[in-house]
Amino acid sequence: MNYQGSCHCGKIRFEAEGTLEQAMECNCSHCNRKGYLLWFVPRSQFTLLTTDAELATYTFNKHVIQHNFCPSCGCAPFGFGKDRKGGDTAAINVRCLEGVEPASLKRIAVDGRSF
């Protein structure tokens, strides 16, 4: 299925292809404060519909995940990193997807504080 998403003001728009059945709820200091519910897809299944010049990026801890956000509204709809096998991945905040009710998804707790 193809999903459309955006930041709050719409300046950052994207789409992702895949099957969305569950979301990860990480308790690390960043995800916990932002309230992220994450869905991971291979980077090849993610398309940024606006220019990457519109993005601001934040990294922390080991600086391996690029947390992207809109400099206008502050919304953080996705990030980029690597999966455990080294493949490029996109971490999508399902709260930023159109037509998705986060409460309908199975939540997988992740102990990001221990990473």
Side-chain angles (χ1 to χ4, degrees):
M1 184 167 188
N2 190 25
Y3 293 92
Q4 302 285 318
S6 68
C7 64
H8 187 257
C9 71
K11 190 174 183 179
I12 307 298
R13 298 203 49 78
F14 64 93
E15 61 185 19
E17 181 72 30
T19 303
L20 176 57
E21 297 172 341
Q22 62 188 29
M24 291 177 44
E25 189 168 23
C26 178
N27 67 358
C28 79
S29 61
H30 190 248
C31 292
N32 193 52
R33 282 177 173 83
K34 297 261 184 171
Y36 287 139
L37 289 176
L38 299 172
W39 172 44
F40 290 82
V41 299
R43 181 67 175 86
S44 61
Q45 292 175 219
F46 177 93
T47 303
L48 183 61
L49 301 175
T50 52
T51 67
D52 58 359
E54 302 292 335
L55 297 173
T57 303
Y58 175 69
T59 62
F60 73 104
N61 196 8
K62 296 177 184 175
H63 301 278
V64 296
I65 301 172
Q66 299 165 327
H67 299 275
N68 295 295
F69 65 96
C70 176
S72 294
C73 68
C75 190
F78 58 85
F80 297 131
K82 301 274 186 192
D83 63 21
R84 293 181 183 201
K85 294 180 181 177
D88 292 332
T89 189
I92 299 164
N93 183 358
V94 300
R95 296 181 187 277
C96 295
L97 294 174
E98 297 167 9
V100 172
E101 178 52 55
S104 70
L105 299 172
K106 177 180 178 184
R107 294 187 187 194
I108 307 298
V110 175
D111 184 15
R113 289 182 188 153
S114 66
F115 293 166

